[in-house]
Amino acid sequence: MLPPTEPAPAPKAIPHVDFDLDDLDSDEERYLDFYRRVAIHEDMLVPLAQHHDGRNSYYVLFDRAATWGPGMPQVLAVHLQRDYEKRTFSFEQALLPLPAMAQSWLVHRGCPPDAISLDPELGPPPADEATRALERRLVEDGDRYAMGYSYTSDDPEDMVIVVVLRAMDEPAPSPFRVVAEEVDTDAWTHTLREGGFDTAGEALQWCDDRLTGEAGPLPPVRPAAPISRLAGVAKAPAPHPPGRSR
């Protein structure tokens, strides 16, 4: 006799984000600016991670409204600073393609790294250790790179995010990096991989090829050159990767 079928666990309710700004509206212009930039889609924001420390709050939010714009980043990082005496607040926000990049943005604004972990029930978990390791490195070293381009595809048949980063250190091996996240919708996991390129054009071309399903494997990141080889080399600023639209 077959054992009785176990009932499927109830899906986790989508949590509501609370910015806790009641009575902090004495600066009407700032309040309206926050509404236009962040809270206008408050009912569509899913808190993937949040940390509150006295007057400071840090949020990693998934913006479900961003799926209406093809290619747009869908992760919003928000840092709030409250002034209860003056009944006002200040804020910074950034729209970013990957949760790890949002975590890094917040860490470099004072959030403790171990306090902004993602809720494991609100998104596909990492598929392997290589993904976890790269995400940790993005969180820790995110300020060493500038984002030049990203494209988010939420096509159920091929969910992928591609990001072009430029290394801020000069000279750097593989100064242009491509980070690609792919979601396995059957296993409901995600992988994150990195490749290295010498020029912005090569990095952008790989992204275009990946979005059309024609890309080969990401090339490895070249190892750093020995220090003796770098002596006397002039430092030239790397060009910014141009933006793209589809």
Side-chain angles (χ1 to χ4, degrees), residues 55-77:
R55 298 174 181 236
N56 289 275
S57 287
Y58 306 88
Y59 301 88
V60 177
L61 306 169
F62 175 67
D63 184 2
R64 290 181 290 169
T67 62
W68 302 335
M72 288 181 60
Q74 298 177 0
V75 181
L76 183 65

Side-chain angles (χ1 to χ4, degrees), residues 15-19 46-53 56-61 78 82 106 111 115-119 122:
H16 174 70
V17 60
D18 182 3
F19 293 116
V46 179
L48 303 180
Q50 54 187 311
H51 173 65
H52 308 284
D53 180 13
N56 289 275
S57 287
Y58 306 88
Y59 301 88
V60 177
L61 306 169
V78 179
R82 302 175 183 83
L106 294 170
C111 183
I116 198 69
S117 299
L118 302 177
D119 188 328
L122 293 176

